[in-house]
Amino acid sequence: MRELYPFNFRRLYASYPRSAVVATSYDGEHKSALSLVWHTPLSFDPPVYSISVSPKRFSHDVILKALTFAVHFFPYERAELVERIGSVSGREVDKFSRLPLPHFMSPLKNPILEGAYLVLDCEYLDHRLVGDHTLIWGEVKRIYYDPDLVEVAEDGGTDLKVLKPTLYLGRGRYITVDVGSLKRLR
Ligand SMILES: Cc1cc2nc3c(=O)[nH]c(=O)nc-3n(C[C@H](O)[C@H](O)[C@H](O)COP(=O)(O)O)c2cc1C
């Protein structure tokens, strides 16, 4: 192995692909939507999900005012939409009318976007500035899914019916999984 020096953490694309999702929110005045690759579950019980959002994003202040957010997983066929949502700011363009983004509002008042196969409707728990991003975490209050793409077990567990998640490789490159590479080790 060689040590990479100097390194560019901003372009650590050799550690990708990462799953690309879209987080939406509504603060009573503005609806926001941004794409994210920095997101992760933090706890099973209670169910907690986190997103890492730069304070530069329009969505940042909307989410921290709304104190709710919804995380959307889109199939690979919608990668163009994920790229467009992540390429323009709600400060300049109303993405909801311009793209457009058909949606309904969840009981938490989060916009739930059409075309996602899985959506986590989250209520804010806390946030913390970590360097140049804000880690925001919330409790998953409900989950929406598309029955054509997601299979649900009796215990409420879910699986993808069609293995086509949207994965991001950096620099506008998207990829999905190769079903032929599946290994069943258990
Ligand atoms: C695939 C992809 C992943 C992204 N991941 C993140 C991320 O994890 N955190 C973040 O703050 N911005 C991320 N961005 C950038 C925002 O999505 C982008 O700046 C967006 O235009 C912000 O919109 P807003 O200003 O309306 O909130 C990503 C963009 C793309 C295309």
Side-chain angles (χ1 to χ4, degrees):
M1 295 291 271
R2 288 188 193 160
E3 181 180 346
L4 178 64
Y5 183 84
F7 63 80
N8 185 343
F9 196 66
R10 193 180 284 271
R11 296 186 186 280
L12 196 65
Y13 297 137
S15 72
Y16 284 45
R18 300 190 66 85
S19 144
V21 299
V22 170
T24 58
S25 190
Y26 173 58
D27 66 7
E29 198 181 346
H30 303 106
K31 288 177 185 165
S32 67
L34 91 162
S35 301
L36 294 161
V37 287
W38 290 4
H39 60 97
T40 189
L42 295 178
S43 161
F44 285 138
D45 189 14
V48 177
Y49 209 84
S50 68
I51 55 177
S52 182
V53 183
S54 163
K56 292 180 189 160
R57 316 293 182 229
F58 178 71
S59 301
H60 182 272
D61 293 0
V62 174
I63 294 169
L64 290 183
K65 190 173 165 202
L67 302 182
T68 60
F69 61 92
V71 179
H72 300 67
F73 293 77
F74 282 98
Y76 178 63
E77 287 76 12
R78 303 268 179 156
E80 287 79 5
L81 182 68
V82 175
E83 174 66 14
R84 282 161 74 197
I85 291 172
S87 303
V88 61
S89 177
R91 234 176 251 114
E92 288 130 34
V93 171
D94 177 2
K95 298 182 215 185
F96 286 81
S97 58
R98 189 70 72 84
L99 290 181
L101 296 176
H103 61 280
F104 67 90
M105 301 302 279
S106 76
L108 285 178
K109 305 251 180 317
N110 285 317
I112 307 299
L113 305 181
E114 209 172 81
Y117 60 80
L118 194 72
V119 187
L120 312 179
D121 196 27
C122 301
E123 188 168 60
Y124 169 94
L125 284 173
D126 210 342
H127 73 279
R128 186 175 178 150
L129 189 66
V130 183
D132 57 12
H133 277 58
T134 304
L135 184 66
I136 304 170
W137 59 97
E139 182 166 344
V140 180
K141 290 296 191 180
R142 66 187 56 72
I143 294 180
Y144 296 100
Y145 72 100
D146 177 348
D148 289 337
L149 300 177
V150 172
E151 163 178 295
V152 177
E154 266 179 22
D155 66 358
T158 56
D159 247 326
L160 280 177
K161 279 186 185 169
V162 185
L163 281 173
K164 280 202 162 182
T166 300
L167 305 176
Y168 188 58
L169 278 170
R171 295 198 197 95
R173 297 166 301 167
Y174 292 79
I175 196 165
T176 192
V177 299
D178 169 12
V179 181
S181 69
L182 181 69
K183 279 186 188 174
R184 289 189 193 277
L185 302 179
R186 210 155 29 99

